Structures are given as structure tokens and as C-alpha cells.
Amino acid sequence: MRSSLSLSGILLGLLALSAVGCDADSGMDEVTPDPNRDYPALKTLAVHPVGVAIQAVHLSSTERTTVIKKVFNSITAEWEMKMNPISVGPGSYNWSGADALVDFAEENGMQVHGHTLVWHQTTPSWMENFGGDDEAFEEAVKEYMMTVIARYKGRVVSWDVINEAFDDERGELRNSVFRQRMGDDYIARLFRYAREADPDLLLFYNDYGLTWSLPKRRAVMRMLDDFQERGIPIDGVGLQMHMAWDGPPLEEITETIDEVVKRGLKLHLSELDVRINTDGNLQSWNEERGNIQKERVKELVAAFNRIPEEQRFAITLWGLRDPDTWLIDFYDRPEWPLLFDARLLPKPAYYGFVEALQEAQ
Ligand code: G3I
């Protein structure tokens, strides 16, 4: 879908193209961004938080933290606040990575979104192979959740209580160790435990593919309706938004957004990235797809900014610069899905985000 370009959009686009070398992917690693290049900060233009997923190891890079502090006012830990890195054994915790990220955010006036208390893909082996009975298993999970939430109470504004609990094909509950040991109603109990740990915490359900998997979307919406009927505490939904230059269609995205909004819940576009190499044919940055990527980011941010302001929790990018993306390893191919290139310079997609925010004002 082509949006009508305003003069400012054309000028910004020309600025963007001048900023992005055609060999953006071959830029040197971690070079200092052009100090003379000024570009508008997303956090200043948006009425909602704009976040980025980062890792503790990134905090030692002045180049990165300069850009993170300039542009964003929210962070999500890409790794360090998951169960695996924190829970080193029953009642035994490694807080170093999570503490570093929460300290950084606090020092720089940024909010922290906690990701994620429970996820079947990052369950520590001691919990996966728990030797006690089911009641003891549930106690161990509850103790973990209460301990983590308590440690960051007042410093972490929200948590994904659980991530990706339903399968893509049939929208059935994944047969995780949590479901096996705690039963089919385990998710409701996880949300109750999180509320018990901190009455002020915003509690989210986070997942991918609700736009393109109708069975999964319907299953999640049934869960939300069930929670609201039973008084199970939940405040919002994270739609991860791992999308591409060629899909999913905006109509499917807005349908899904509307399903969350009409239930009065907060919406987090929680893991935004936009693939341009879906067919695997690209070996270097492609300007034409890069401009389509810009339009996709622009239309998504515009859609988010059409929902009621009090329901706009945040938009979070799943990584700072293209070489950081999980997608390169996941698909084992080059990819350029984020807002900044390898040289930490803003890409056309960054200016698509800017234009959408300016047009929403
Ligand atoms: O940093 C540690 C290193 O110290 C350790 O020696 C090594 C041992 O395996 O692991 C390193 O951590 C890796 C971590 O990324 C940081 O790079 C983990 O192995 C690796 O599994 C982890 O992958 C993350 C993945 O979730 C699994 O947690 C990706 O970075 C992250 O982008 C990805 O993000 C997920 C969201 O949480 C949920 N939605 C899907 C999304 C993509 O899979």
C-alpha cells in the first residue's frame, strides 16, 4: 500500500537515502555513528514508549548506548531476563545480566519490559527434568516468578508472564512441561501468581503469528475472554510482529490489533523486525526492498497510533542494528530487518517510523 508522500516525507526520504550507503551490510562493525548527522529521536516524536531489545554485552559499547539513549525510552532484555540465564538451579539465581540492563535503563530514565517469566524454549534443565511431584513443581515455578518479580518491583513496569503458549497449526496449548505438570489451566495460575507478587505490575501475554494463524489467534482470544470472565488478571497482549516486506497484509494486522483493543487491553508491538530477504536471494542490501520495508514500518506505526492512546503500551524493535538480528542465525542467510544499519546509521525504515509519528501528531 503506498501512502501519499508529503514534502517532508520526500525530504526525509532523500536524507535517508543519503545516509544509507548501498553497502550498508558491509559497513565496519561498531563504528562511531556520524556525530554530525542529526536525525529526529523516536522517543521524542511518540506519545507512547519506543523500545529496543538489547543484551547486557551491548552496554560496553559507547557507540550503541549513545544511539539507544538518544532514540529509545524503553528496553527489553533479548536474553538475560529469561528463565534459563537467571535460574541456575532450584532457589539459585544469576542476576548479573538482568541487573546490568535494569541499572542501565534506570540510569537513563528508560522503562524496562520484562521478557519473559515463562517460555517453554528457555526452561532450565533442572526444571525441565524436575524430580519432585507436580505440586512441588508448581511451587518451584511460583517461587521463581515471585522472586524475580520481587527483585525488580518498581523498576520493571511490565512482564510477559508467558510467551508463545499455543501452537501455530491448530491453536492448541503447546505440550510444555508446564502444561504437563500443572494441567491445562496453568496459564491462569501463572497470571494469578504474578498479580499476587506485585499488584502494580502490568501483566502481558506475548506471542507471534496471531496475524497469519487464525487458529492461534482464535485460541488466544478465547483465553482472553475466559480470563476476563473469570477475573484472571491480565493487562495486555504482546504481538511480536516479526514481519516481512511482503507480509502479512496490513488488513490481517489491523484485524488482530482490533481484537486486542476491543477487549480493552493494552497493546505491545513487542518484537518488531521486517525481513527483506524472505526468498534468500539477496546477498547485500537492496534499496528497493529497503523502501518497501520503510512503508511497512510506516503503516504499522500508523495503525498502532490509531488505537486509543491509553491502550498503546509500546512499540519495541527486536534489535538495534541489522547485524544484531536473530534472523540471520535462524534462517542462516543475510538479513537487514531493523532500523539501523551496521554502521549504526538510520535506514529508510527509521524515517518511515518518523513519518508515521509525525503524521499521527
Ligand atoms: O550470551 C550467552 C552466552 O553467554 C552463552 O555462553 C551462550 C551459551 O549458549 O548463550 C548465549 O546466549 C544466547 C542468547 O541468545 C544471547 O545471544 C543463547 O544461547 C541464545 O539461545 C539466545 O537466543 C535468543 C532466543 O530468543 C532464545 O532465547 C535470541 O537472541 C533472541 O532474539 C530470541 O528472541 C525470541 C523472543 O525471546 C521470543 N520471540 C521469538 C524471538 C526470536 O526467537
Side-chain angles (χ1 to χ4, degrees):
M1 171 190 291
R2 292 256 169 252
S3 57
S4 60
L5 271 183
S6 61
L7 176 60
S8 62
I10 292 169
L11 291 175
L12 278 171
L14 291 172
L15 178 64
L17 290 176
S18 67
V20 177
C22 60
D23 59 345
D25 59 317
S26 60
M28 288 178 288
D29 199 18
E30 299 291 326
V31 293
T32 304
D34 175 356
N36 301 314
R37 171 164 313 292
D38 197 15
Y39 51 86
L42 299 178
K43 70 180 184 183
T44 311
L45 295 172
V47 296
H48 53 77
V50 183
V52 60
I54 58 175
Q55 299 179 27
V57 67
H58 297 156
L59 301 180
S60 57
S61 159
T62 310
E63 291 79 6
R64 287 173 184 272
T65 53
T66 299
V67 174
I68 293 165
K69 290 186 287 190
K70 167 189 167 82
V71 172
F72 301 101
N73 51 9
S74 178
I75 64 164
T76 297
E78 187 172 15
W79 166 245
E80 289 86 351
M81 292 176 78
K82 291 170 181 172
M83 210 180 242
N84 232 344
I86 289 180
S87 178
V88 293
S92 174
Y93 304 89
N94 168 15
W95 302 113
S96 58
D99 282 356
L101 289 165
V102 174
D103 290 348
F104 169 79
E106 209 161 47
E107 287 154 13
N108 293 288
M110 306 169 85
Q111 81 174 21
V112 179
H113 173 71
H115 172 77
T116 174
L117 291 168
V118 172
W119 181 24
H120 64 279
Q121 283 195 24
T122 51
T123 308
S125 55
W126 73 266
M127 196 174 274
E128 199 70 59
N129 309 306
F130 190 76
D133 64 21
D134 292 351
E135 187 180 348
F137 175 87
E138 182 155 351
E139 267 311 305
V141 173
K142 181 178 179 181
E143 181 194 344
Y144 171 81
M145 291 176 65
M146 308 287 270
T147 305
V148 173
I149 290 173
R151 184 178 183 86
Y152 299 113
K153 181 175 170 59
R155 307 177 70 202
V156 171
V157 68
S158 52
W159 274 97
D160 292 332
V161 174
I162 184 166
N163 184 57
E164 302 176 17
F166 296 91
D167 74 31
D168 301 350
E169 298 70 33
R170 292 172 305 280
E172 291 176 358
L173 275 177
R174 295 180 190 276
N175 197 28
S176 69
V177 67
F178 301 97
R179 181 190 180 186
Q180 292 168 34
R181 303 296 298 261
M182 294 170 63
D184 285 359
D185 198 33
Y186 83 98
I187 301 176
R189 296 211 294 286
L190 295 179
F191 274 87
R192 282 206 173 108
Y193 295 152
R195 173 60 70 245
E196 182 185 331
D198 180 354
D200 302 321
L201 189 64
L202 292 176
L203 309 179
F204 280 78
Y205 175 76
N206 193 60
D207 212 332
Y208 68 89
L210 273 68
T211 53
W212 48 261
S213 166
L214 272 179
K216 180 183 274 196
R217 188 195 309 176
R218 288 179 180 135
V220 171
M221 297 309 152
R222 279 196 302 271
M223 177 184 74
L224 298 176
D225 293 340
D226 170 56
F227 279 16
Q228 291 180 327
E229 281 159 26
R230 290 197 288 158
I232 306 292
I234 184 166
D235 301 291
V237 172
L239 300 179
Q240 293 181 10
M241 299 315 300
H242 294 296
M243 53 194 280
W245 69 284
D246 56 356
L250 181 63
E251 293 70 23
E252 289 179 6
I253 297 172
T254 50
E255 275 171 20
T256 310
I257 287 176
D258 292 347
E259 289 284 336
V260 174
V261 169
K262 75 183 185 184
R263 289 168 170 82
L265 294 167
K266 294 184 183 297
L267 176 66
H268 185 195
L269 301 185
S270 56
E271 306 184 12
L272 177 58
D273 43 37
V274 184
R275 296 167 60 202
I276 64 169
N277 196 16
T278 44
D279 47 18
N281 295 334
L282 300 181
Q283 288 306 315
S284 63
W285 170 250
N286 178 287
E287 200 170 301
E288 181 188 354
R289 294 224 181 138
N291 284 321
I292 296 171
Q293 181 185 66
K294 170 188 175 183
E295 293 305 317
R296 298 243 60 200
V297 168
K298 182 171 181 177
E299 65 185 14
L300 178 72
V301 174
F304 183 79
N305 277 279
R306 285 194 291 269
I307 76 174
E309 190 169 331
E310 66 276 10
Q311 290 181 265
R312 297 176 220 163
F313 174 71
I315 298 176
T316 298
L317 279 297
W318 204 246
L320 180 62
R321 13 158 262 163
D322 287 338
D324 302 335
T325 182
W326 66 287
L327 291 162
I328 293 171
D329 288 344
F330 188 78
Y331 289 104
D332 191 23
R333 63 175 65 146
E335 189 51 79
W336 303 267
L338 296 168
L339 301 186
F340 290 89
D341 68 18
R343 297 162 301 168
L344 279 171
L345 295 177
K347 295 160 54 185
Y350 185 93
Y351 293 95
F353 205 126
V354 167
E355 288 171 21
L357 292 176
Q358 288 174 331
E359 291 169 18
Q361 286 176 348

